[in-house]
Amino acid sequence: MSCYASPVGNTAATGPEPRRNLSFAAPAAGRHQHGPGLPDQEEYQSMQLFQRRKSLAIAVAACTVAATAAGCGSSAGKSVTSSANGPVTISVGCEPPTSQAQPRANWIADVKAFEKLNPNITIQSDDTNPCDDPSTFNAKLAGGKMDNVFYTYFTDGANVISSGEAADIQQYASQINDYSSIQSSLLNVYRQGETGSGDLYGVPTGNYSLGLVYNKALFQQAGLNPNDPPTTWDQVEQDAIAISKLGHGDIGYADYSAQNTGGWHFIAELYSRGGTAVSSDGKSAAFNDAAGQSVLQFLHKMRFTDNVMGTNQGLVYNDLLQMMASGKLGMYVGDPSTLTTMHSNYNTPYTNLAVGPMPGETATLLGGSGYMFNKNDTPAQIEAGIKFLNYEFETSGIGQFNYQRQSAQGQPVGLPEPDLWQGAVATTDNAAKAKYANIPTANFTSYVDALPKMQLVIEPPQAQAIYAKGDAAMFSVLTNPNANIPSLLNTFAGQTNTILANAQ
C-alpha cells in the first residue's frame, strides 16, 4: 500500500441535531463542521513536506507519524486485504453549503489536499443542506439514495442499522485512527443495541453533552458568584429569582417548547433527575413517573409562581441564543457550541458567557453526529471513506482538530467539545488545543470537571418523533397556569408508545 504523510492544515467540524444548526465553523452537530482554506504559509509548508518525501527515509518516518490519517497504517486485529489500490470514487455528505463561504473553502481545500496524498481516491462532495433532514432522511434511506459515506445524527444510528441500509464496517475498524481510544459510548451509538457488540456501522465525528449556559455579567449584577454556577435545580431556581429581581426586564431562566426542542429538553432534564425515556427493550415510554412529573412541575412553578421565565413562550432553538446574546437572559440548558453561535451571529463576547454542569450532576444527554457507509459500498469505497474520515475528523492536529489553522483564521479554539477520545490521545489533543486557545477556557471549568462523574445518556430511539410529541406538554406547562401535569404526561406517554410500536 502506498504511504503518504498528512500535511498539517485542514479543518472540519461537526455540530448537533435537527433541532440545532451545528456550526461548521465551530467544532455538533449536528451537524457540526469545517473551516476556511489553508493559509498561504501552511500551503507552502505542505508543498515543502511533499517534496522532502522524495527521500525514502523521511517518507517512512512520515508514514509512522501520520499512519491512518493518510491511509498508511497497519491493521491490528482482524486483517483486511486492501482493495483500494486502484481508482475509487466516493460521495461524502455534509460539505458546507455556499452560504457558509469560509467553512466551504476549508472543505474544498481539505479534499484537494487529501486527493493529492491519495491520488487513487476521488471525493465527490455532497452539499445538501441540512446535512440530515429529518423530513426526508428515512425516504432517502429506503430509496437507496444515500451517499457512499453519509452523515447521520446519533439519533439515526439504531434506525439505520435496523433498516439494513448501512454496511457493517467492523472488519475495517482497525483502520480508524486511534480507534481504541475513541470513547466507547460514542462507538456504541453505531452498534446494534447501542452496546459493545461485535459489529460497527459508523464512525463518530462530533459529540456534545448538555450543561447550563449562563450569563456571567447578569450573575455578577445579581450578587451571584460568576465563577460558581448552580449545580442543582433548586439552586437554578434561586439564582433565576435573583436575576429576575434586577428589574430591567431580565429573565432568570428560559426553556424550549416548539419545533421538537421542547421534547428534546424534557428528555434532557428528565435524565438529569435520574429518569429514563424508554424501557430497556425500547418498546414503551418510561417517563410517566415521579421524575417526569418533577420536570414539568418545576417549569410550571418557575413560570407561574416564581415568574422568572418571561411571558413569551413557544420558544425554538435560536430564540434562547438571541435572548442570551441580548444580555437579558440568565440561564438555559445548552452545550458549549452555542457560545460560538452567539459570538459569530451576534458578536457576543466570550467573556460574558460560561457553561456549568447539567443541574443535578447525575446524568446528561449525549448527542452528536458521525458517518455511516452505504450498504452497497465496495470494500475499496469503505477503505477510502475511512481514510477520508481519518483525515478530516479523526486525527488531532489536522482537519477539525487543526487548532493552529483555526486560531490563525480567527475561529474559536478552546471549546471542550468535540471530545472524541480518552486516555493519552485525549491528553495530547487537549494540550494542543490549550496551546492555541483564543477564548476564556476557564469559563468551562465546572462543566469539564463534572462530566467525568456524570452518566452520559444517549437520546432515545425515534427521538425526533418523540420530541415532537413532547413539545405539547412543555408548551402547556409554560402557558397554562392550570395545566394538568398527570394528564399531559399520560398523553405524551401514550403517543410515545405508539411511535415505538410502529417502529418495531
Side-chain angles (χ1 to χ4, degrees), residues 343-383:
H343 178 76
S344 299
N345 294 351
Y346 311 113
N347 206 28
T348 309
Y350 280 104
T351 52
N352 289 349
L353 304 171
V355 184
M358 190 69 173
E361 295 188 288
T362 300
T364 189
L365 182 145
L366 167 69
S369 60
Y371 283 83
M372 301 180 79
F373 295 75
N374 194 301
K375 71 174 184 180
N376 295 317
D377 286 358
T378 65
Q381 288 176 317
I382 292 174
E383 291 189 337

Side-chain angles (χ1 to χ4, degrees), residues 27-44:
R31 278 111 194 18
H32 329 308
Q33 330 27 137
H34 322 280
L38 290 168
D40 293 340
Q41 181 179 7
E42 290 187 5
E43 289 185 315
Y44 174 77

Side-chain angles (χ1 to χ4, degrees), residues 243-504:
I243 291 169
S244 294
K245 285 182 176 179
L246 289 173
H248 309 298
D250 299 310
I251 295 173
Y253 178 83
D255 217 330
Y256 295 127
S257 55
Q259 296 184 8
N260 295 24
T261 59
W264 171 44
H265 269 202
F266 171 83
I267 296 299
E269 292 159 23
L270 175 80
Y271 289 166
S272 76
R273 294 175 178 272
T276 302
V278 301
S279 59
S280 58
D281 60 8
K283 294 182 178 180
S284 61
F287 55 75
N288 193 1
D289 59 7
Q293 288 197 30
S294 66
V295 172
L296 299 183
Q297 288 168 346
F298 177 79
L299 292 173
H300 191 263
K301 181 185 179 187
M302 292 267 281
R303 169 69 179 86
F304 292 105
T305 301
D306 300 328
N307 293 313
V308 298
M309 298 187 70
T311 58
N312 184 24
Q313 300 302 326
L315 303 176
V316 299
Y317 185 73
N318 283 329
D319 291 335
L320 297 192
L321 277 61
Q322 291 173 350
M323 291 166 65
M324 181 66 77
S326 73
K328 292 297 184 179
L329 175 61
M331 296 170 283
Y332 69 86
V333 169
D335 71 272
S337 72
T338 63
L339 274 61
T340 292
T341 303
M342 285 185 277
H343 178 76
S344 299
N345 294 351
Y346 311 113
N347 206 28
T348 309
Y350 280 104
T351 52
N352 289 349
L353 304 171
V355 184
M358 190 69 173
E361 295 188 288
T362 300
T364 189
L365 182 145
L366 167 69
S369 60
Y371 283 83
M372 301 180 79
F373 295 75
N374 194 301
K375 71 174 184 180
N376 295 317
D377 286 358
T378 65
Q381 288 176 317
I382 292 174
E383 291 189 337
I386 290 175
K387 285 183 181 180
F388 181 71
L389 295 184
N390 283 342
Y391 187 91
E392 193 73 350
F393 299 106
E394 302 292 328
T395 304
S396 182
I398 63 174
Q400 70 169 327
F401 297 107
N402 185 350
Y403 304 120
Q404 181 178 13
R405 180 170 78 170
Q406 291 173 10
S407 180
Q409 294 173 340
Q411 296 184 65
V413 177
L415 293 171
E417 294 171 327
D419 179 27
L420 298 181
W421 301 296
Q422 56 192 349
V425 176
T427 300
T428 299
D429 182 66
N430 286 334
K433 184 192 302 183
K435 179 179 179 181
Y436 294 102
N438 54 15
I439 63 176
T441 58
N443 288 2
F444 309 110
T445 298
S446 60
Y447 170 87
V448 172
D449 289 347
L451 276 180
K453 302 176 291 185
M454 300 174 69
Q455 182 183 6
L456 306 183
V457 188
I458 192 67
E459 295 172 274
Q462 308 302 318
Q464 295 308 318
I466 293 174
Y467 294 163
K469 299 302 182 183
D471 283 349
M474 293 286 280
F475 184 76
S476 182
V477 299
L478 293 174
T479 57
N480 182 0
N482 299 311
N484 186 328
I485 290 175
S487 177
L488 290 171
L489 274 180
N490 282 335
T491 300
F492 182 18
Q495 293 168 331
T496 298
N497 290 339
T498 299
I499 291 168
L500 296 173
N502 290 340
Q504 297 300 315

